[in-house]
Amino acid sequence: MYQTGNLVKDLAEKHGRKRESLMPILQDIVKKHNYLTDDVMVAVATELDISAAEVYGTASFYTFLDTEERGRNVIRVCKTITCSMKGKNDIISTIEDMLKIRVGETTPDKMFTLLETNCIGWCHKAPAILINDMPYTDLTQETVIDVIKGYMR
Amino acid sequence: MKNKGLTKVDLIFETVDVRKVIKKAFEMTSDEIIQQVLESGLKGRGGAGFPTGLKWKYTAAEKDPEKYIVCNADEGEPGTFKDREILDKVAPKVYAGMAIAGKAMGAKKGFIYLRGEYRFLLPQLYVELHKFHKMIAEIGYDFSIEYRMGSGAYICGEESALFESIEGRRGEPRNKPPYPTTSGLFSKPTSINNVETLVTAMMIIEKGPLEYVKLGTKDSRGSKVFSISGDTPLPGIFELELGMTVQQFVNEFGDGDAKAVQVGGASGFCVPRKKFADTIIGFEGVPTGGSMKLFNSSRSMYNVLHNYLDFFAEESCGQCTPCRVGCQQLLKGIEKVKKGEAKSTYLNELIKLADTMKVASKCGLGQSVGNAFKSIVENFREEVIY
């Protein structure tokens, strides 16, 4: 859970209060907090004068607009064919061992969430992962540890 | 039929004076621009291959004073990554292509819908966009571009789902007709073009259609940027003239042991080794948005198919029944056959289901699941069963 304060109001000022403002607002909230709480979705609905069901209905359609609690750093491991052929499972088991969580889980300190995702467009440099917005490619079991260590602060 | 062989081309990433090309286009009439694109024979580079000139012509013919040009940068097809490279390396050419399209159709406003997975590119893209807006203002033309981001939904690459997403809704495809050229984004006439298409159109204006038609074949004019991955010593992005056979492609990019090439991504076709020599990559053979995945003999085609079906089952928007249920049943079906819980002849039933999905699904997603399914099951039946 997180407190939003004036965030939703500020974002509505920035992106407008039309229906088309909904995605940019939700995306900016997720960029800051990594997931959408029920409270924040109700606040957005109030600000845009639409039903909360519309906000939830839209958010829940999009993989990157998470409506479940996520850690500060969301790791998405590509599981589509080339990454899968080039060692995706080794990358996942390395991360699982390192963070002591399974795919779909968040570390107790809320620092990391580990997820699988569909093709992220780095097939020529497989296996690849996204951490928040940043792609990391050509990974090995060694290099992925270094990458994740970089986020442990 | 004689084919063209494998020739590397440098059109998309070539450095050009963008300002000069825009000025050249702005001195032409709307009809002249459209005529040149029509004469070039350019077909959409996102995968579907609709003639670009026609799309512009239909949009230009609409009377509504408000029109849009939308750049589809929601590159989600498994195995495609060329649009990212184009935006990363030559974004000004994409912007110029949009301005030229805008001039041709009478659209003053453009949107680029960029997939969420490429958000890391945005800071640099905005720097380039700022420069572009300044240049357009100096030339004295009223045209601007805005970015809109995706959030991890493959289906939003479908044009009408993309409009829904920009409008702030679930990315569920609309019924067609009406087509985007009459009622697209915000229900206004819209031309929606792939990133590469816009750059190619811009280069056609630069070089002239006569120069462009020297490349490619009658059905597949020009060159194409290919995204090459899988079992290859040369994974990456290559621009090649259209019209080569899969065999010529494999000779250049294979690892010497290629048994299949998936052309066009998960929604494309699987070409087995025995058909390499007589299959042309292009609209006369196997069309592609650029995705080329090579598989060598160490790979299980069952695993490939399972991975694709898992992808579609997750990415189907769930709006229409044939696609929502069909993807899941195809996936469960091949699992059953593999485990021996269903007879191998059950695959024939699944092929019928894939055919039904092709005719009954609302959009291209459900309609094309059968492409990979049938071409893999028919060519690698033993691997799927045993």
Side-chain angles (χ1 to χ4, degrees), chain B residues 91-216:
Chain B
K93 290 173 81 172
V94 180
Y95 302 154
M98 291 177 74
I100 292 167
K103 157 83 180 169
M105 301 176 308
K108 306 249 175 259
K109 180 100 201 158
F111 287 93
I112 300 178
Y113 187 89
L114 183 69
R115 72 184 304 213
E117 289 84 343
Y118 294 167
R119 184 182 274 274
F120 71 99
L121 289 175
L122 262 188
Q124 184 55 34
L125 291 173
Y126 273 125
V127 170
E128 299 286 356
L129 185 60
H130 183 70
K131 285 188 210 160
F132 169 80
H133 280 151
K134 229 172 115 184
M135 177 180 72
I136 285 284
E138 278 166 19
I139 295 173
Y141 187 68
D142 176 19
F143 183 76
S144 65
I145 295 172
E146 279 183 36
Y147 272 96
R148 287 289 183 276
M149 298 305 297
S151 273
Y154 167 76
I155 189 59
C156 289
E158 198 279 342
E159 53 191 16
S160 61
L162 189 153
F163 300 147
E164 289 290 311
S165 184
I166 294 184
E167 291 177 21
R169 280 184 269 272
R170 295 165 67 86
E172 293 176 346
R174 300 171 182 168
N175 283 319
K176 291 180 210 172
Y179 293 98
T181 50
T182 41
S183 177
L185 184 61
F186 302 119
S187 306
K188 298 291 180 188
T190 305
S191 176
I192 174 163
N193 298 106
N194 169 262
V195 175
E196 185 187 347
T197 309
L198 290 161
V199 176
T200 309
M202 177 252 189
M203 291 305 285
I204 288 165
I205 298 300
E206 211 260 333
K207 295 194 182 302
L210 290 176
E211 196 60 32
Y212 188 75
V213 295
K214 287 181 189 164
L215 291 172

Side-chain angles (χ1 to χ4, degrees), chain B residues 214-231:
Chain B
K214 287 181 189 164
L215 291 172
T217 65
K218 188 174 149 287
D219 292 324
S220 308
R221 289 282 177 224
S223 58
K224 174 92 194 71
V225 182
F226 288 91
S227 313
I228 299 163
S229 67
D231 295 312

Side-chain angles (χ1 to χ4, degrees), chain A residues 19-20 22-23 27 57 61-64 79-82 85-86 118-124 133 135, chain B residues 79 81 84 115 119 149-152 165 167-171 186 229-230 293 295 299 307 310-311 314-315:
Chain A
R19 180 65 196 242
E20 67 199 75
L22 180 59
M23 287 286 285
Q27 285 164 343
F61 185 86
Y62 296 93
T63 320
F64 287 8
K79 64 170 176 164
T80 307
I81 189 67
T82 311
M85 279 162 38
K86 307 259 168 169
N118 284 324
C119 191
I120 56 173
W122 289 98
C123 319
H124 57 321
D133 289 342
Chain B
F81 37 85
R84 185 197 64 235
R115 72 184 304 213
R119 184 182 274 274
M149 298 305 297
S151 273
S165 184
E167 291 177 21
R169 280 184 269 272
R170 295 165 67 86
F186 302 119
S229 67
K293 282 178 185 282
F295 300 110
R299 306 297 175 187
N307 191 283
D310 182 62
F311 173 85
E314 276 186 17
E315 297 294 345

Side-chain angles (χ1 to χ4, degrees), chain B residues 7 14 60 120 133 149 176 197 211 246 267 319 355 360 376:
Chain B
T7 318
E14 185 191 333
F120 71 99
H133 280 151
M149 298 305 297
K176 291 180 210 172
T197 309
E211 196 60 32
V246 177
S267 65
Q319 187 186 191
D355 286 336
I376 293 176

